[in-house]
Amino acid sequence: MKAKTLNVDGKTVELNSRLNGKRITKEVIYYLCGAVLSLMFLFPIIYMLATSTKSESAYAQGAGSLAMFFPDFAHLGTMFDNYSSVLTNYGIWKYALNSFLYAAIVIVLNVLVNGLAGYVMSKMRFPGKRLFSALIIFLIIVPVETSIIPLYSIVKIMLGLKQTASVLGIILPATISIFNVFLFMQFFQSIPKEYEEAARMDGSSTLGIFFKVILPLSKPIVATVAVFCFIGVWNDYLWPSMILPQTGADKWPLMPIQAALTTIQSMEGITTGEIMASLVITSIPIFVIYVAAQKYIVQGFGSAGLKM
């Protein structure tokens, strides 16, 4: 395509060239700013990874210089000693296993309970449906902190906080999520009614339609809810610290990993490298699961539409 020209005072100006130059300049500035901001956010992660490979003396030597952002390549044989230490000496793997177990149970119950609630709200007609829909929106915007004290009182009265049954205090409150009900409700509205009508003609019951038709068509939103539930349980610190009792050294601990990290990091004799290694270990599952399910999360939010 021939460049357009403009004569101004006897001078010919190539408009396309000038526009292309401005666009290239804007893109260069845009990507440079993005790179700088990305590095700013990555610096704490780089520092954490680098420090997790160092002994206390190596960490002290590199403090305050660029060396603090580089692993200890001078001692390759001991780079992962901090990881083995926190896994064996401090038993962090036990707390990680607790978190995985709690998260697995919460995910299954969340999909069943909130999925059924979302199915009822999106596909069925009943008196007061609009009121319940408005109540769901209202509860979404209410901060969780406002209900934590009443919830603590309920759990304390019903389960007690000294027995192993207090583990149910981790699972049961996390089973119901208003936001997840809202996600399921919006996604199910996008599923054509013809699928349900065909299933009813084949003799399926309401529960049969939900488990055999609706859920198989809802993999994106199920994956999205599963990721959110896992992240919520894995990162939960305050609530488990309130309701779970401390166990003796001879018993299996009940605390999830985030609640245990605070105790481990305050122990006498623990090094900075071991603290950073424990943080790296707790960050890996979140990173892996989010990357693996990123496609489904985008599909889930795109299909749900987040509209009323």
Side-chain angles (χ1 to χ4, degrees), residues 193-242:
K193 295 182 179 180
E194 287 75 11
Y195 290 106
E196 298 176 73
E197 295 173 354
R200 291 192 186 279
M201 292 179 63
D202 291 337
S204 295
S205 62
T206 301
L207 284 178
I209 293 173
F210 176 76
F211 286 106
K212 296 179 182 179
V213 179
I214 300 299
L215 274 187
L217 293 173
S218 306
K219 292 180 181 179
I221 202 65
V222 170
T224 302
V225 169
V227 170
F228 285 166
C229 289
F230 180 85
I231 293 176
V233 174
W234 188 267
N235 289 336
D236 198 8
Y237 162 73
L238 178 61
W239 181 247
S241 300
M242 292 175 61

mmCIF file of all heavy atoms in Angstrom, residues 193-242:
data_model
loop_
_atom_site.group_PDB
_atom_site.id
_atom_site.type_symbol
_atom_site.label_atom_id
_atom_site.label_comp_id
_atom_site.label_asym_id
_atom_site.label_seq_id
_atom_site.Cartn_x
_atom_site.Cartn_y
_atom_site.Cartn_z
ATOM 1 N N LYS A 193 -32.146 -25.691 27.709
ATOM 2 C CA LYS A 193 -33.135 -26.545 28.363
ATOM 3 C C LYS A 193 -33.388 -27.833 27.599
ATOM 4 O O LYS A 193 -33.916 -28.797 28.168
ATOM 5 C CB LYS A 193 -34.448 -25.770 28.515
ATOM 6 C CG LYS A 193 -34.359 -24.561 29.438
ATOM 7 C CD LYS A 193 -35.709 -23.886 29.559
ATOM 8 C CE LYS A 193 -35.620 -22.674 30.502
ATOM 9 N NZ LYS A 193 -36.939 -21.998 30.634
ATOM 10 N N GLU A 194 -33.031 -27.847 26.305
ATOM 11 C CA GLU A 194 -33.293 -29.033 25.500
ATOM 12 C C GLU A 194 -32.580 -30.274 26.048
ATOM 13 O O GLU A 194 -33.090 -31.394 25.923
ATOM 14 C CB GLU A 194 -32.849 -28.800 24.047
ATOM 15 C CG GLU A 194 -33.758 -27.863 23.257
ATOM 16 C CD GLU A 194 -33.573 -26.409 23.635
ATOM 17 O OE1 GLU A 194 -32.600 -26.112 24.349
ATOM 18 O OE2 GLU A 194 -34.408 -25.579 23.211
ATOM 19 N N TYR A 195 -31.418 -30.069 26.674
ATOM 20 C CA TYR A 195 -30.704 -31.212 27.255
ATOM 21 C C TYR A 195 -31.517 -31.837 28.384
ATOM 22 O O TYR A 195 -31.628 -33.067 28.494
ATOM 23 C CB TYR A 195 -29.345 -30.771 27.778
ATOM 24 C CG TYR A 195 -28.354 -30.415 26.700
ATOM 25 C CD1 TYR A 195 -28.022 -29.090 26.441
ATOM 26 C CD2 TYR A 195 -27.738 -31.410 25.942
ATOM 27 C CE1 TYR A 195 -27.109 -28.758 25.455
ATOM 28 C CE2 TYR A 195 -26.817 -31.081 24.957
ATOM 29 C CZ TYR A 195 -26.519 -29.760 24.718
ATOM 30 O OH TYR A 195 -25.609 -29.430 23.733
ATOM 31 N N GLU A 196 -32.090 -30.990 29.232
ATOM 32 C CA GLU A 196 -32.898 -31.499 30.333
ATOM 33 C C GLU A 196 -34.173 -32.163 29.828
ATOM 34 O O GLU A 196 -34.577 -33.222 30.330
ATOM 35 C CB GLU A 196 -33.261 -30.350 31.270
ATOM 36 C CG GLU A 196 -32.075 -29.679 31.921
ATOM 37 C CD GLU A 196 -32.490 -28.493 32.764
ATOM 38 O OE1 GLU A 196 -33.067 -28.720 33.844
ATOM 39 O OE2 GLU A 196 -32.276 -27.351 32.330
ATOM 40 N N GLU A 197 -34.813 -31.553 28.844
ATOM 41 C CA GLU A 197 -36.044 -32.128 28.301
ATOM 42 C C GLU A 197 -35.787 -33.490 27.676
ATOM 43 O O GLU A 197 -36.591 -34.421 27.837
ATOM 44 C CB GLU A 197 -36.639 -31.169 27.277
ATOM 45 C CG GLU A 197 -37.102 -29.842 27.882
ATOM 46 C CD GLU A 197 -37.526 -28.840 26.828
ATOM 47 O OE1 GLU A 197 -37.351 -29.150 25.621
ATOM 48 O OE2 GLU A 197 -38.008 -27.749 27.198
ATOM 49 N N ALA A 198 -34.666 -33.628 26.978
ATOM 50 C CA ALA A 198 -34.337 -34.923 26.386
ATOM 51 C C ALA A 198 -34.085 -35.971 27.467
ATOM 52 O O ALA A 198 -34.497 -37.136 27.339
ATOM 53 C CB ALA A 198 -33.109 -34.787 25.490
ATOM 54 N N ALA A 199 -33.420 -35.558 28.549
ATOM 55 C CA ALA A 199 -33.148 -36.497 29.642
ATOM 56 C C ALA A 199 -34.435 -36.904 30.347
ATOM 57 O O ALA A 199 -34.600 -38.068 30.742
ATOM 58 C CB ALA A 199 -32.182 -35.869 30.635
ATOM 59 N N ARG A 200 -35.376 -35.970 30.511
ATOM 60 C CA ARG A 200 -36.650 -36.313 31.148
ATOM 61 C C ARG A 200 -37.459 -37.270 30.277
ATOM 62 O O ARG A 200 -38.143 -38.171 30.789
ATOM 63 C CB ARG A 200 -37.452 -35.041 31.416
ATOM 64 C CG ARG A 200 -36.853 -34.148 32.493
ATOM 65 C CD ARG A 200 -37.795 -33.056 32.933
ATOM 66 N NE ARG A 200 -37.144 -32.136 33.847
ATOM 67 C CZ ARG A 200 -36.978 -32.365 35.146
ATOM 68 N NH1 ARG A 200 -37.452 -33.484 35.672
ATOM 69 N NH2 ARG A 200 -36.363 -31.473 35.908
ATOM 70 N N MET A 201 -37.380 -37.094 28.981
ATOM 71 C CA MET A 201 -38.074 -38.009 28.085
ATOM 72 C C MET A 201 -37.497 -39.421 28.173
ATOM 73 O O MET A 201 -38.214 -40.411 27.946
ATOM 74 C CB MET A 201 -37.985 -37.501 26.642
ATOM 75 C CG MET A 201 -38.762 -36.217 26.398
ATOM 76 S SD MET A 201 -38.614 -35.614 24.709
ATOM 77 C CE MET A 201 -39.379 -36.959 23.804
ATOM 78 N N ASP A 202 -36.217 -39.508 28.544
ATOM 79 C CA ASP A 202 -35.594 -40.814 28.728
ATOM 80 C C ASP A 202 -35.849 -41.391 30.109
ATOM 81 O O ASP A 202 -35.359 -42.489 30.420
ATOM 82 C CB ASP A 202 -34.082 -40.719 28.500
ATOM 83 C CG ASP A 202 -33.744 -40.448 27.043
ATOM 84 O OD1 ASP A 202 -34.589 -40.771 26.179
ATOM 85 O OD2 ASP A 202 -32.652 -39.931 26.773
ATOM 86 N N GLY A 203 -36.579 -40.660 30.937
ATOM 87 C CA GLY A 203 -36.951 -41.163 32.253
ATOM 88 C C GLY A 203 -36.039 -40.780 33.383
ATOM 89 O O GLY A 203 -36.121 -41.357 34.477
ATOM 90 N N SER A 204 -35.140 -39.803 33.177
ATOM 91 C CA SER A 204 -34.223 -39.394 34.241
ATOM 92 C C SER A 204 -34.935 -38.546 35.277
ATOM 93 O O SER A 204 -35.822 -37.744 34.951
ATOM 94 C CB SER A 204 -33.049 -38.605 33.651
ATOM 95 O OG SER A 204 -32.262 -39.424 32.814
ATOM 96 N N SER A 205 -34.550 -38.708 36.522
ATOM 97 C CA SER A 205 -35.081 -37.879 37.592
ATOM 98 C C SER A 205 -34.317 -36.560 37.637
ATOM 99 O O SER A 205 -33.369 -36.340 36.883
ATOM 100 C CB SER A 205 -34.946 -38.613 38.932
ATOM 101 O OG SER A 205 -33.580 -38.856 39.216
ATOM 102 N N THR A 206 -34.733 -35.680 38.554
ATOM 103 C CA THR A 206 -34.061 -34.387 38.673
ATOM 104 C C THR A 206 -32.598 -34.564 39.079
ATOM 105 O O THR A 206 -31.701 -33.929 38.507
ATOM 106 C CB THR A 206 -34.779 -33.500 39.699
ATOM 107 O OG1 THR A 206 -36.141 -33.311 39.281
ATOM 108 C CG2 THR A 206 -34.106 -32.144 39.815
ATOM 109 N N LEU A 207 -32.361 -35.445 40.060
ATOM 110 C CA LEU A 207 -30.975 -35.705 40.467
ATOM 111 C C LEU A 207 -30.189 -36.385 39.353
ATOM 112 O O LEU A 207 -28.999 -36.111 39.156
ATOM 113 C CB LEU A 207 -30.945 -36.576 41.731
ATOM 114 C CG LEU A 207 -31.275 -35.884 43.045
ATOM 115 C CD1 LEU A 207 -31.256 -36.884 44.194
ATOM 116 C CD2 LEU A 207 -30.283 -34.758 43.323
ATOM 117 N N GLY A 208 -30.859 -37.267 38.619
ATOM 118 C CA GLY A 208 -30.194 -37.930 37.499
ATOM 119 C C GLY A 208 -29.780 -36.933 36.425
ATOM 120 O O GLY A 208 -28.687 -37.042 35.849
ATOM 121 N N ILE A 209 -30.634 -35.956 36.161
ATOM 122 C CA ILE A 209 -30.291 -34.917 35.177
ATOM 123 C C ILE A 209 -29.095 -34.107 35.657
ATOM 124 O O ILE A 209 -28.189 -33.794 34.883
ATOM 125 C CB ILE A 209 -31.508 -33.999 34.931
ATOM 126 C CG1 ILE A 209 -32.626 -34.786 34.232
ATOM 127 C CG2 ILE A 209 -31.121 -32.784 34.098
ATOM 128 C CD1 ILE A 209 -33.917 -34.019 34.094
ATOM 129 N N PHE A 210 -29.079 -33.786 36.950
ATOM 130 C CA PHE A 210 -27.980 -32.989 37.479
ATOM 131 C C PHE A 210 -26.652 -33.723 37.356
ATOM 132 O O PHE A 210 -25.641 -33.141 36.901
ATOM 133 C CB PHE A 210 -28.249 -32.634 38.944
ATOM 134 C CG PHE A 210 -27.123 -31.898 39.603
ATOM 135 C CD1 PHE A 210 -26.899 -30.556 39.334
ATOM 136 C CD2 PHE A 210 -26.281 -32.551 40.501
ATOM 137 C CE1 PHE A 210 -25.845 -29.877 39.937
ATOM 138 C CE2 PHE A 210 -25.236 -31.873 41.110
ATOM 139 C CZ PHE A 210 -25.022 -30.533 40.828
ATOM 140 N N PHE A 211 -26.627 -35.000 37.750
ATOM 141 C CA PHE A 211 -25.357 -35.735 37.775
ATOM 142 C C PHE A 211 -24.957 -36.280 36.398
ATOM 143 O O PHE A 211 -23.763 -36.401 36.123
ATOM 144 C CB PHE A 211 -25.444 -36.896 38.770
ATOM 145 C CG PHE A 211 -25.387 -36.459 40.206
ATOM 146 C CD1 PHE A 211 -26.531 -36.473 40.987
ATOM 147 C CD2 PHE A 211 -24.200 -36.024 40.769
ATOM 148 C CE1 PHE A 211 -26.481 -36.076 42.315
ATOM 149 C CE2 PHE A 211 -24.147 -35.619 42.093
ATOM 150 C CZ PHE A 211 -25.289 -35.637 42.866
ATOM 151 N N LYS A 212 -25.926 -36.588 35.548
ATOM 152 C CA LYS A 212 -25.605 -37.218 34.269
ATOM 153 C C LYS A 212 -25.561 -36.235 33.100
ATOM 154 O O LYS A 212 -24.938 -36.519 32.079
ATOM 155 C CB LYS A 212 -26.626 -38.316 33.963
ATOM 156 C CG LYS A 212 -26.600 -39.471 34.946
ATOM 157 C CD LYS A 212 -27.654 -40.512 34.595
ATOM 158 C CE LYS A 212 -27.656 -41.663 35.612
ATOM 159 N NZ LYS A 212 -28.707 -42.671 35.283
ATOM 160 N N VAL A 213 -26.223 -35.092 33.261
ATOM 161 C CA VAL A 213 -26.291 -34.131 32.146
ATOM 162 C C VAL A 213 -25.614 -32.806 32.504
ATOM 163 O O VAL A 213 -24.710 -32.343 31.791
ATOM 164 C CB VAL A 213 -27.763 -33.874 31.732
ATOM 165 C CG1 VAL A 213 -27.823 -32.849 30.599
ATOM 166 C CG2 VAL A 213 -28.420 -35.180 31.309
ATOM 167 N N ILE A 214 -26.057 -32.197 33.600
ATOM 168 C CA ILE A 214 -25.598 -30.848 33.931
ATOM 169 C C ILE A 214 -24.121 -30.834 34.327
ATOM 170 O O ILE A 214 -23.325 -30.050 33.774
ATOM 171 C CB ILE A 214 -26.455 -30.241 35.054
ATOM 172 C CG1 ILE A 214 -27.927 -30.167 34.623
ATOM 173 C CG2 ILE A 214 -25.932 -28.855 35.421
ATOM 174 C CD1 ILE A 214 -28.173 -29.299 33.417
ATOM 175 N N LEU A 215 -23.714 -31.676 35.262
ATOM 176 C CA LEU A 215 -22.322 -31.676 35.717
ATOM 177 C C LEU A 215 -21.329 -32.028 34.605
ATOM 178 O O LEU A 215 -20.286 -31.374 34.486
ATOM 179 C CB LEU A 215 -22.146 -32.619 36.904
ATOM 180 C CG LEU A 215 -22.449 -32.047 38.292
ATOM 181 C CD1 LEU A 215 -22.071 -33.048 39.371
ATOM 182 C CD2 LEU A 215 -21.729 -30.730 38.520
ATOM 183 N N PRO A 216 -21.602 -33.041 33.772
ATOM 184 C CA PRO A 216 -20.648 -33.315 32.682
ATOM 185 C C PRO A 216 -20.486 -32.143 31.706
ATOM 186 O O PRO A 216 -19.435 -32.014 31.073
ATOM 187 C CB PRO A 216 -21.255 -34.538 31.974
ATOM 188 C CG PRO A 216 -22.043 -35.223 33.036
ATOM 189 C CD PRO A 216 -22.609 -34.117 33.873
ATOM 190 N N LEU A 217 -21.523 -31.306 31.573
ATOM 191 C CA LEU A 217 -21.430 -30.140 30.694
ATOM 192 C C LEU A 217 -20.815 -28.931 31.393
ATOM 193 O O LEU A 217 -20.631 -27.881 30.757
ATOM 194 C CB LEU A 217 -22.830 -29.762 30.189
ATOM 195 C CG LEU A 217 -23.513 -30.769 29.254
ATOM 196 C CD1 LEU A 217 -24.951 -30.344 28.977
ATOM 197 C CD2 LEU A 217 -22.742 -30.907 27.945
ATOM 198 N N SER A 218 -20.491 -29.073 32.673
ATOM 199 C CA SER A 218 -20.049 -27.927 33.470
ATOM 200 C C SER A 218 -18.611 -28.090 33.959
ATOM 201 O O SER A 218 -18.260 -27.590 35.028
ATOM 202 C CB SER A 218 -20.986 -27.742 34.672
ATOM 203 O OG SER A 218 -22.332 -27.655 34.267
ATOM 204 N N LYS A 219 -17.783 -28.757 33.191
ATOM 205 C CA LYS A 219 -16.395 -28.968 33.612
ATOM 206 C C LYS A 219 -15.643 -27.661 33.861
ATOM 207 O O LYS A 219 -14.878 -27.572 34.822
ATOM 208 C CB LYS A 219 -15.666 -29.827 32.584
ATOM 209 C CG LYS A 219 -16.163 -31.264 32.521
ATOM 210 C CD LYS A 219 -15.408 -32.070 31.474
ATOM 211 C CE LYS A 219 -15.934 -33.499 31.412
ATOM 212 N NZ LYS A 219 -15.235 -34.295 30.373
ATOM 213 N N PRO A 220 -15.811 -26.625 33.016
ATOM 214 C CA PRO A 220 -15.068 -25.380 33.294
ATOM 215 C C PRO A 220 -15.395 -24.759 34.644
ATOM 216 O O PRO A 220 -14.491 -24.360 35.384
ATOM 217 C CB PRO A 220 -15.481 -24.463 32.128
ATOM 218 C CG PRO A 220 -15.861 -25.389 31.036
ATOM 219 C CD PRO A 220 -16.508 -26.550 31.720
ATOM 220 N N ILE A 221 -16.683 -24.685 34.980
ATOM 221 C CA ILE A 221 -17.045 -24.036 36.241
ATOM 222 C C ILE A 221 -16.711 -24.933 37.427
ATOM 223 O O ILE A 221 -16.367 -24.450 38.507
ATOM 224 C CB ILE A 221 -18.539 -23.636 36.247
ATOM 225 C CG1 ILE A 221 -18.784 -22.523 37.265
ATOM 226 C CG2 ILE A 221 -19.434 -24.828 36.523
ATOM 227 C CD1 ILE A 221 -18.100 -21.239 36.930
ATOM 228 N N VAL A 222 -16.785 -26.254 37.241
ATOM 229 C CA VAL A 222 -16.385 -27.176 38.310
ATOM 230 C C VAL A 222 -14.892 -27.028 38.593
ATOM 231 O O VAL A 222 -14.462 -26.990 39.749
ATOM 232 C CB VAL A 222 -16.730 -28.627 37.930
ATOM 233 C CG1 VAL A 222 -16.104 -29.609 38.916
ATOM 234 C CG2 VAL A 222 -18.242 -28.830 37.897
ATOM 235 N N ALA A 223 -14.091 -26.928 37.532
ATOM 236 C CA ALA A 223 -12.650 -26.730 37.709
ATOM 237 C C ALA A 223 -12.363 -25.394 38.382
ATOM 238 O O ALA A 223 -11.473 -25.300 39.240
ATOM 239 C CB ALA A 223 -11.946 -26.813 36.358
ATOM 240 N N THR A 224 -13.109 -24.367 38.012
ATOM 241 C CA THR A 224 -12.916 -23.045 38.616
ATOM 242 C C THR A 224 -13.218 -23.082 40.112
ATOM 243 O O THR A 224 -12.437 -22.586 40.934
ATOM 244 C CB THR A 224 -13.819 -22.013 37.931
ATOM 245 O OG1 THR A 224 -13.521 -21.973 36.534
ATOM 246 C CG2 THR A 224 -13.621 -20.639 38.527
ATOM 247 N N VAL A 225 -14.339 -23.675 40.469
ATOM 248 C CA VAL A 225 -14.715 -23.777 41.880
ATOM 249 C C VAL A 225 -13.707 -24.631 42.643
ATOM 250 O O VAL A 225 -13.341 -24.314 43.786
ATOM 251 C CB VAL A 225 -16.137 -24.355 42.006
ATOM 252 C CG1 VAL A 225 -16.455 -24.721 43.454
ATOM 253 C CG2 VAL A 225 -17.164 -23.362 41.484
ATOM 254 N N ALA A 226 -13.239 -25.701 42.014
ATOM 255 C CA ALA A 226 -12.260 -26.573 42.674
ATOM 256 C C ALA A 226 -10.965 -25.820 42.967
ATOM 257 O O ALA A 226 -10.386 -25.956 44.055
ATOM 258 C CB ALA A 226 -11.978 -27.789 41.801
ATOM 259 N N VAL A 227 -10.513 -25.016 42.013
ATOM 260 C CA VAL A 227 -9.285 -24.243 42.226
ATOM 261 C C VAL A 227 -9.479 -23.225 43.339
ATOM 262 O O VAL A 227 -8.619 -23.068 44.221
ATOM 263 C CB VAL A 227 -8.852 -23.546 40.921
ATOM 264 C CG1 VAL A 227 -7.725 -22.555 41.178
ATOM 265 C CG2 VAL A 227 -8.412 -24.577 39.889
ATOM 266 N N PHE A 228 -10.596 -22.526 43.332
ATOM 267 C CA PHE A 228 -10.857 -21.529 44.379
ATOM 268 C C PHE A 228 -10.941 -22.181 45.756
ATOM 269 O O PHE A 228 -10.439 -21.628 46.745
ATOM 270 C CB PHE A 228 -12.135 -20.770 44.073
ATOM 271 C CG PHE A 228 -11.995 -19.763 42.971
ATOM 272 C CD1 PHE A 228 -13.110 -19.191 42.373
ATOM 273 C CD2 PHE A 228 -10.751 -19.382 42.512
ATOM 274 C CE1 PHE A 228 -12.979 -18.252 41.357
ATOM 275 C CE2 PHE A 228 -10.606 -18.451 41.505
ATOM 276 C CZ PHE A 228 -11.721 -17.892 40.924
ATOM 277 N N CYS A 229 -11.585 -23.346 45.815
ATOM 278 C CA CYS A 229 -11.695 -24.049 47.096
ATOM 279 C C CYS A 229 -10.321 -24.492 47.591
ATOM 280 O O CYS A 229 -10.004 -24.364 48.774
ATOM 281 C CB CYS A 229 -12.617 -25.255 46.953
ATOM 282 S SG CYS A 229 -14.358 -24.849 46.751
ATOM 283 N N PHE A 230 -9.522 -25.031 46.686
ATOM 284 C CA PHE A 230 -8.191 -25.482 47.080
ATOM 285 C C PHE A 230 -7.352 -24.319 47.595
ATOM 286 O O PHE A 230 -6.706 -24.422 48.647
ATOM 287 C CB PHE A 230 -7.488 -26.147 45.901
ATOM 288 C CG PHE A 230 -6.101 -26.632 46.232
ATOM 289 C CD1 PHE A 230 -5.920 -27.867 46.817
ATOM 290 C CD2 PHE A 230 -4.996 -25.841 45.976
ATOM 291 C CE1 PHE A 230 -4.649 -28.314 47.143
ATOM 292 C CE2 PHE A 230 -3.721 -26.272 46.299
ATOM 293 C CZ PHE A 230 -3.546 -27.521 46.893
ATOM 294 N N ILE A 231 -7.361 -23.212 46.859
ATOM 295 C CA ILE A 231 -6.581 -22.047 47.283
ATOM 296 C C ILE A 231 -7.085 -21.524 48.627
ATOM 297 O O ILE A 231 -6.294 -21.155 49.504
ATOM 298 C CB ILE A 231 -6.649 -20.948 46.209
ATOM 299 C CG1 ILE A 231 -5.933 -21.407 44.936
ATOM 300 C CG2 ILE A 231 -6.028 -19.647 46.718
ATOM 301 C CD1 ILE A 231 -6.041 -20.425 43.789
ATOM 302 N N GLY A 232 -8.411 -21.501 48.803
ATOM 303 C CA GLY A 232 -8.966 -21.017 50.059
ATOM 304 C C GLY A 232 -8.561 -21.868 51.243
ATOM 305 O O GLY A 232 -8.176 -21.349 52.295
ATOM 306 N N VAL A 233 -8.645 -23.200 51.098
ATOM 307 C CA VAL A 233 -8.269 -24.098 52.193
ATOM 308 C C VAL A 233 -6.771 -24.082 52.418
ATOM 309 O O VAL A 233 -6.295 -24.059 53.553
ATOM 310 C CB VAL A 233 -8.765 -25.533 51.897
ATOM 311 C CG1 VAL A 233 -8.253 -26.503 52.947
ATOM 312 C CG2 VAL A 233 -10.282 -25.571 51.847
ATOM 313 N N TRP A 234 -6.001 -24.084 51.334
ATOM 314 C CA TRP A 234 -4.541 -24.125 51.452
ATOM 315 C C TRP A 234 -3.985 -22.861 52.121
ATOM 316 O O TRP A 234 -3.043 -22.941 52.902
ATOM 317 C CB TRP A 234 -3.919 -24.296 50.067
ATOM 318 C CG TRP A 234 -2.438 -24.533 50.081
ATOM 319 C CD1 TRP A 234 -1.452 -23.592 49.981
ATOM 320 C CD2 TRP A 234 -1.765 -25.795 50.213
ATOM 321 N NE1 TRP A 234 -0.220 -24.180 50.024
ATOM 322 C CE2 TRP A 234 -0.377 -25.534 50.167
ATOM 323 C CE3 TRP A 234 -2.202 -27.103 50.350
ATOM 324 C CZ2 TRP A 234 0.573 -26.549 50.252
ATOM 325 C CZ3 TRP A 234 -1.253 -28.120 50.443
ATOM 326 C CH2 TRP A 234 0.105 -27.836 50.400
ATOM 327 N N ASN A 235 -4.571 -21.722 51.834
ATOM 328 C CA ASN A 235 -4.069 -20.453 52.372
ATOM 329 C C ASN A 235 -4.743 -20.039 53.676
ATOM 330 O O ASN A 235 -4.403 -18.995 54.229
ATOM 331 C CB ASN A 235 -4.253 -19.326 51.345
ATOM 332 C CG ASN A 235 -3.304 -19.460 50.172
ATOM 333 O OD1 ASN A 235 -2.245 -20.070 50.274
ATOM 334 N ND2 ASN A 235 -3.681 -18.889 49.036
ATOM 335 N N ASP A 236 -5.689 -20.824 54.154
ATOM 336 C CA ASP A 236 -6.429 -20.433 55.351
ATOM 337 C C ASP A 236 -5.529 -20.527 56.584
ATOM 338 O O ASP A 236 -4.876 -21.551 56.823
ATOM 339 C CB ASP A 236 -7.650 -21.337 55.525
ATOM 340 C CG ASP A 236 -8.669 -20.721 56.465
ATOM 341 O OD1 ASP A 236 -8.487 -19.547 56.845
ATOM 342 O OD2 ASP A 236 -9.660 -21.406 56.798
ATOM 343 N N TYR A 237 -5.495 -19.456 57.334
ATOM 344 C CA TYR A 237 -4.649 -19.413 58.537
ATOM 345 C C TYR A 237 -5.446 -19.077 59.795
ATOM 346 O O TYR A 237 -5.363 -19.780 60.801
ATOM 347 C CB TYR A 237 -3.534 -18.375 58.343
ATOM 348 C CG TYR A 237 -2.885 -17.949 59.628
ATOM 349 C CD1 TYR A 237 -2.022 -18.805 60.301
ATOM 350 C CD2 TYR A 237 -3.151 -16.693 60.193
ATOM 351 C CE1 TYR A 237 -1.436 -18.428 61.500
ATOM 352 C CE2 TYR A 237 -2.560 -16.315 61.391
ATOM 353 C CZ TYR A 237 -1.709 -17.185 62.035
ATOM 354 O OH TYR A 237 -1.131 -16.818 63.219
ATOM 355 N N LEU A 238 -6.252 -18.018 59.721
ATOM 356 C CA LEU A 238 -6.915 -17.532 60.926
ATOM 357 C C LEU A 238 -7.907 -18.533 61.486
ATOM 358 O O LEU A 238 -7.882 -18.852 62.679
ATOM 359 C CB LEU A 238 -7.614 -16.197 60.619
ATOM 360 C CG LEU A 238 -8.408 -15.566 61.763
ATOM 361 C CD1 LEU A 238 -7.474 -15.263 62.932
ATOM 362 C CD2 LEU A 238 -9.123 -14.308 61.293
ATOM 363 N N TRP A 239 -8.801 -19.044 60.619
ATOM 364 C CA TRP A 239 -9.857 -19.931 61.098
ATOM 365 C C TRP A 239 -9.310 -21.229 61.703
ATOM 366 O O TRP A 239 -9.713 -21.605 62.809
ATOM 367 C CB TRP A 239 -10.835 -20.207 59.968
ATOM 368 C CG TRP A 239 -11.978 -21.096 60.345
ATOM 369 C CD1 TRP A 239 -12.228 -22.357 59.893
ATOM 370 C CD2 TRP A 239 -13.038 -20.799 61.259
ATOM 371 N NE1 TRP A 239 -13.358 -22.871 60.464
ATOM 372 C CE2 TRP A 239 -13.878 -21.930 61.304
ATOM 373 C CE3 TRP A 239 -13.351 -19.695 62.041
ATOM 374 C CZ2 TRP A 239 -15.005 -21.981 62.099
ATOM 375 C CZ3 TRP A 239 -14.481 -19.743 62.839
ATOM 376 C CH2 TRP A 239 -15.292 -20.886 62.864
ATOM 377 N N PRO A 240 -8.389 -21.939 61.040
ATOM 378 C CA PRO A 240 -7.831 -23.144 61.682
ATOM 379 C C PRO A 240 -7.118 -22.853 62.994
ATOM 380 O O PRO A 240 -7.172 -23.662 63.934
ATOM 381 C CB PRO A 240 -6.852 -23.680 60.628
ATOM 382 C CG PRO A 240 -7.338 -23.145 59.346
ATOM 383 C CD PRO A 240 -7.897 -21.787 59.664
ATOM 384 N N SER A 241 -6.458 -21.705 63.069
ATOM 385 C CA SER A 241 -5.764 -21.358 64.319
ATOM 386 C C SER A 241 -6.746 -21.139 65.457
ATOM 387 O O SER A 241 -6.403 -21.343 66.631
ATOM 388 C CB SER A 241 -4.932 -20.089 64.121
ATOM 389 O OG SER A 241 -3.972 -20.273 63.101
ATOM 390 N N MET A 242 -7.984 -20.757 65.129
ATOM 391 C CA MET A 242 -8.984 -20.499 66.154
ATOM 392 C C MET A 242 -9.627 -21.769 66.669
ATOM 393 O O MET A 242 -9.935 -21.870 67.869
ATOM 394 C CB MET A 242 -10.064 -19.557 65.609
ATOM 395 C CG MET A 242 -9.606 -18.142 65.331
ATOM 396 S SD MET A 242 -10.902 -17.137 64.564
ATOM 397 C CE MET A 242 -12.183 -17.182 65.832
#
